[in-house]
Amino acid sequence: MIDYLERRRRIPELVSYLPQVRDDLRLKPLPLSTSRNTSAALPAAWSTSELRTPRDEEPESSGPSVLDPQVAWSYTQPGQPMGAPVVLDDICLVASQESGRGAQGGVLRALSATSGNLRWEQRFPGAVVGGLACTTESVALVSLPSLGHVFGESAMIAIDSSGRTLWRTEFDVHQISAPAAGGRVAAVTGNDRTVVIVDVANGDQLTVATLPVEVALSAPAGDNSSIYVACRAPSLVALSLDGDLLW
C-alpha cells in the first residue's frame, strides 16, 4: 500500500518527464490533489479504475489479516500431543497422552476457538487417544487404542461439542487406528489385518473384515459405499460396507 501511494504521488512528475524523452507523447499536466477523489484532476481519457485500490472499495479493518498473521491465543498441553485437532461448533478438540502416578492414559480437551480457554476435558485411563474425525459440525469420533490386554479392549466413542458421549463401541482388537468417517459409516483398522466398520448414528458394528495383507498404521478412508485401506504390501484395498473385497 505504501508503494502504491508513493507511485500515485509521483504521477505529476511522470507526466512532466515523459514528453522530454518521448516526442510522440503530449500529456496534460496533472495537478497534485489532497483529496481521495482524483477523478476531477484526471484527463478525460484516463480511467479512475486504474487508481482504485481495495481501500477505495472496502472499509479498512483493524484486525489481523492473512498478510500479517498474528497469534490469537496459545495453549500448552500437559502431555504429549496426539493427532491433529478438530473443530466442533465453537470449540477446538485437542488430544494428548499423559503418564505418571495415577494419571496414565489419554486426555481429550475442549478449548474455546476464540480465546483458547479450557471448556472441558475427559480422561481415558489405560487408553490412548488414537485420533479424531468429525462426522458433523457438532460431533466427532474418538478412537481409543488400549495400552495392553491388562487395561481392557480398545473402543471408539462419539462425542459432541458439549463433552457428552453419544455412544461407545468396544472392539475385540487392541491396536486400532485413527477413525475414518464417510457418510453413514466409520471405520478403524486393528490387529494387523482387521477392519471394523460401524454405524456413525449409534456405534453398532456393521462388519468385521479380515484382510489377506497387513494394514498400515494410517487411518482408512471411506464414503457411503466403500472403505479404502492402505496396507503394508504396499497396496491399497477397497472393501464394500459388507466387508467384501472389491479390489
Side-chain angles (χ1 to χ4, degrees):
M1 189 61 187
I2 294 177
D3 291 342
Y4 166 77
L5 294 176
E6 178 64 19
R7 290 196 300 269
R8 191 169 69 171
R9 185 185 67 81
R10 298 188 61 185
I11 287 177
E13 299 176 15
L14 183 63
V15 170
S16 301
Y17 171 74
L18 285 177
Q20 300 177 25
V21 296
R22 294 283 300 275
D23 294 336
D24 57 328
L25 293 179
R26 295 293 185 269
L27 300 179
K28 181 179 179 181
L30 180 66
L32 287 172
S33 175
T34 59
S35 171
R36 286 185 57 84
N37 184 8
T38 60
S39 59
L42 292 175
W46 287 29
S47 171
T48 57
S49 63
E50 297 177 359
L51 301 180
R52 187 173 296 117
T53 70
R55 291 187 60 182
D56 295 322
E57 301 174 355
E58 300 177 2
E60 184 175 351
S61 173
S62 60
S65 70
V66 294
L67 300 180
D68 183 25
Q70 302 175 24
V71 177
W73 53 264
S74 64
Y75 181 84
T76 302
Q77 297 192 74
Q80 176 69 30
M82 300 294 291
V86 298
V87 176
L88 299 179
D89 294 332
D90 62 344
I91 66 167
C92 179
L93 280 183
V94 294
S96 63
Q97 184 68 20
E98 299 181 7
S99 60
R101 186 172 300 175
Q104 187 174 13
V107 183
L108 189 64
R109 292 181 173 90
L111 310 177
S112 168
T114 56
S115 67
N117 293 332
L118 180 65
R119 295 277 188 86
W120 51 262
E121 71 175 33
Q122 282 202 31
R123 295 181 174 271
F124 306 98
V128 179
V129 178
L132 310 171
C134 293
T135 60
T136 69
E137 294 181 353
S138 302
V139 177
L141 301 178
V142 185
S143 67
L144 301 170
S146 173
L147 291 176
H149 293 273
V150 175
F151 298 100
E153 305 297 335
S154 294
M156 181 193 298
I157 66 171
I159 195 169
D160 66 14
S161 57
S162 68
R164 182 169 58 104
T165 299
L166 304 180
W167 51 258
R168 175 186 176 97
T169 297
E170 296 186 352
F171 305 129
D172 291 331
V173 294
H174 294 274
Q175 297 302 319
I176 62 173
S177 68
R184 63 183 181 87
V185 301
V188 293
T189 61
N191 281 14
D192 296 333
R193 296 171 182 262
T194 304
V195 179
V196 184
I197 303 173
V198 303
D199 189 326
V200 297
N202 50 31
D204 289 347
Q205 293 189 34
L206 303 177
T207 304
V208 179
T210 301
L211 302 184
V213 293
E214 291 188 359
V215 298
L217 296 178
S218 58
D223 53 32
N224 278 318
S225 60
S226 304
I227 301 295
Y228 307 94
V229 183
C231 300
R232 294 182 180 179
S235 61
L236 180 70
V237 300
L239 302 175
S240 70
L241 300 187
D242 294 326
D244 297 328
L245 185 64
L246 299 177
W247 48 261

